[in-house]
Amino acid sequence: QVQLAESGGGLVQAGGSLRLSCAASGRSFSMYTMAWFRQAPGKEREFVAAIIWSGGTTSYADSVKGRFTISRDNAKDTVYLQMNSLKPEDTAVYYCTARYQYGGSYLYSGVRDYNYWGQGTQVTVSS
Protein backbone atom coordinates (compact mmCIF):
# COMPACT_ATOMS: atom_id res chain seq x y z
CA GLN A 1 0.00 0.00 0.00
CA VAL A 2 1.12 3.57 -0.64
CA GLN A 3 0.13 6.93 0.83
CA LEU A 4 0.32 10.06 -1.30
CA ALA A 5 0.68 13.72 -0.35
CA GLU A 6 0.57 16.52 -2.91
CA SER A 7 2.11 19.97 -2.54
CA GLY A 8 2.97 22.97 -4.67
CA GLY A 9 -0.44 24.27 -5.62
CA GLY A 10 -1.37 27.93 -5.43
CA LEU A 11 -2.53 31.02 -7.27
CA VAL A 12 -0.74 32.05 -10.45
CA GLN A 13 -1.43 34.41 -13.33
CA ALA A 14 -2.16 33.12 -16.79
CA GLY A 15 1.06 32.31 -18.59
CA GLY A 16 2.84 31.47 -15.36
CA SER A 17 4.24 28.21 -14.04
CA LEU A 18 3.83 25.92 -11.07
CA ARG A 19 5.49 22.69 -10.04
CA LEU A 20 3.45 20.14 -8.16
CA SER A 21 5.08 17.44 -6.08
CA CYS A 22 3.66 14.20 -4.76
CA ALA A 23 5.53 12.41 -2.01
CA ALA A 24 4.77 8.73 -1.58
CA SER A 25 5.21 6.70 1.56
CA GLY A 26 4.93 2.98 1.88
CA ARG A 27 6.62 0.23 0.01
CA SER A 28 8.11 -0.14 -3.46
CA PHE A 29 7.36 3.23 -5.00
CA SER A 30 9.34 2.23 -8.08
CA MET A 31 6.80 -0.52 -8.80
CA TYR A 32 3.92 1.93 -9.18
CA THR A 33 2.79 3.80 -12.24
CA MET A 34 1.97 7.35 -11.16
CA ALA A 35 -0.48 9.83 -12.60
CA TRP A 36 -2.03 13.23 -12.10
CA PHE A 37 -5.72 13.93 -12.47
CA ARG A 38 -7.63 17.16 -11.93
CA GLN A 39 -11.15 18.15 -11.08
CA ALA A 40 -12.68 21.56 -11.69
CA PRO A 41 -15.86 22.68 -9.89
CA GLY A 42 -18.92 21.01 -11.38
CA LYS A 43 -16.87 18.78 -13.64
CA GLU A 44 -15.75 15.18 -13.56
CA ARG A 45 -12.24 14.23 -12.55
CA GLU A 46 -10.06 14.05 -15.66
CA PHE A 47 -6.72 12.57 -16.61
CA VAL A 48 -3.77 14.94 -16.93
CA ALA A 49 -0.58 12.89 -17.21
CA ALA A 50 0.95 9.54 -16.29
CA ILE A 51 4.43 8.07 -16.00
CA ILE A 52 5.29 4.39 -16.06
CA TRP A 53 6.87 2.71 -13.03
CA SER A 54 10.34 2.89 -14.60
CA GLY A 55 9.98 6.50 -15.74
CA GLY A 56 10.63 5.51 -19.33
CA THR A 57 7.21 6.27 -20.76
CA THR A 58 4.80 9.14 -20.25
CA SER A 59 1.42 10.15 -21.57
CA TYR A 60 -0.57 13.40 -21.51
CA ALA A 61 -4.05 14.67 -22.07
CA ASP A 62 -4.29 16.64 -25.30
CA SER A 63 -5.25 19.75 -23.33
CA VAL A 64 -1.89 19.88 -21.54
CA LYS A 65 0.45 18.34 -24.09
CA GLY A 66 3.43 20.60 -24.73
CA ARG A 67 2.79 22.64 -21.58
CA PHE A 68 2.97 20.10 -18.73
CA THR A 69 5.73 17.62 -17.94
CA ILE A 70 5.46 14.67 -15.58
CA SER A 71 8.58 13.19 -14.05
CA ARG A 72 9.58 11.01 -11.12
CA ASP A 73 12.52 10.45 -8.82
CA ASN A 74 12.36 6.89 -7.54
CA ALA A 75 15.21 7.55 -5.13
CA LYS A 76 13.06 10.20 -3.44
CA ASP A 77 9.71 8.42 -3.86
CA THR A 78 8.36 11.54 -5.51
CA VAL A 79 6.51 12.38 -8.70
CA TYR A 80 6.34 15.87 -10.16
CA LEU A 81 4.13 17.83 -12.52
CA GLN A 82 5.77 20.87 -14.08
CA MET A 83 3.06 23.14 -15.43
CA ASN A 84 4.02 25.94 -17.81
CA SER A 85 1.99 28.43 -19.84
CA LEU A 86 -0.91 28.01 -17.45
CA LYS A 87 -4.39 28.98 -18.55
CA PRO A 88 -7.49 29.85 -16.53
CA GLU A 89 -9.04 26.58 -17.70
CA ASP A 90 -6.27 24.71 -15.84
CA THR A 91 -7.86 25.83 -12.58
CA ALA A 92 -8.76 22.70 -10.59
CA VAL A 93 -7.86 20.51 -7.68
CA TYR A 94 -4.97 18.33 -8.81
CA TYR A 95 -4.71 14.79 -7.49
CA CYS A 96 -1.77 12.44 -7.43
CA THR A 97 -2.58 8.77 -7.89
CA ALA A 98 -0.81 5.42 -8.10
CA ARG A 99 -1.31 2.01 -9.63
CA TYR A 100 0.81 -1.06 -8.94
CA GLN A 101 2.22 -2.03 -12.32
CA TYR A 102 5.72 -3.40 -12.02
CA GLY A 103 6.86 -4.76 -15.39
CA GLY A 104 3.89 -3.48 -17.36
CA SER A 105 4.16 -0.91 -20.12
CA TYR A 106 0.62 0.31 -20.75
CA LEU A 107 -0.29 3.72 -19.33
CA TYR A 108 -3.82 3.92 -17.96
CA SER A 109 -5.89 7.09 -18.04
CA GLY A 110 -9.12 6.15 -16.29
CA VAL A 111 -10.05 7.16 -12.77
CA ARG A 112 -10.97 3.57 -11.95
CA ASP A 113 -7.60 2.31 -13.14
CA TYR A 114 -5.83 3.77 -10.12
CA ASN A 115 -5.97 2.45 -6.59
CA TYR A 116 -4.40 5.09 -4.37
CA TRP A 117 -5.17 8.81 -4.24
CA GLY A 118 -3.84 11.85 -2.47
CA GLN A 119 -6.00 14.57 -0.93
CA GLY A 120 -5.39 17.00 -3.76
CA THR A 121 -3.87 20.45 -4.10
CA GLN A 122 -5.66 23.52 -5.46
CA VAL A 123 -4.32 25.26 -8.54
CA THR A 124 -5.93 28.57 -9.47
CA VAL A 125 -4.96 30.44 -12.63
CA SER A 126 -6.17 34.02 -12.87
CA SER A 127 -6.76 35.76 -16.19
Side-chain angles (χ1 to χ4, degrees), residues 10-101:
L11 174 64
V12 64
Q13 288 188 333
S17 299
L18 280 175
R19 189 195 196 200
L20 305 183
S21 299
C22 173
S25 60
R27 297 170 60 182
S28 306
F29 173 76
S30 62
M31 295 185 178
Y32 287 81
T33 285
M34 304 297 296
W36 290 93
F37 284 71
R38 67 187 182 186
Q39 188 166 18
K43 294 188 177 181
E44 293 186 351
R45 193 168 296 189
E46 65 175 5
F47 172 77
V48 175
I51 186 166
I52 204 75
W53 56 274
S54 64
T57 305
T58 58
S59 70
Y60 297 90
D62 288 342
S63 59
V64 306
K65 203 170 291 183
R67 301 188 297 122
F68 291 9
T69 302
I70 189 171
S71 62
R72 66 189 296 161
D73 186 339
N74 285 348
K76 296 183 178 179
D77 291 354
T78 301
V79 63
Y80 305 97
L81 185 68
Q82 178 67 43
M83 305 185 295
N84 299 328
S85 302
L86 283 161
K87 305 175 181 180
E89 51 263 44
D90 294 317
T91 295
V93 176
Y94 283 70
Y95 296 92
C96 174
T97 185
R99 171 190 174 94
Y100 181 81
Q101 197 179 357

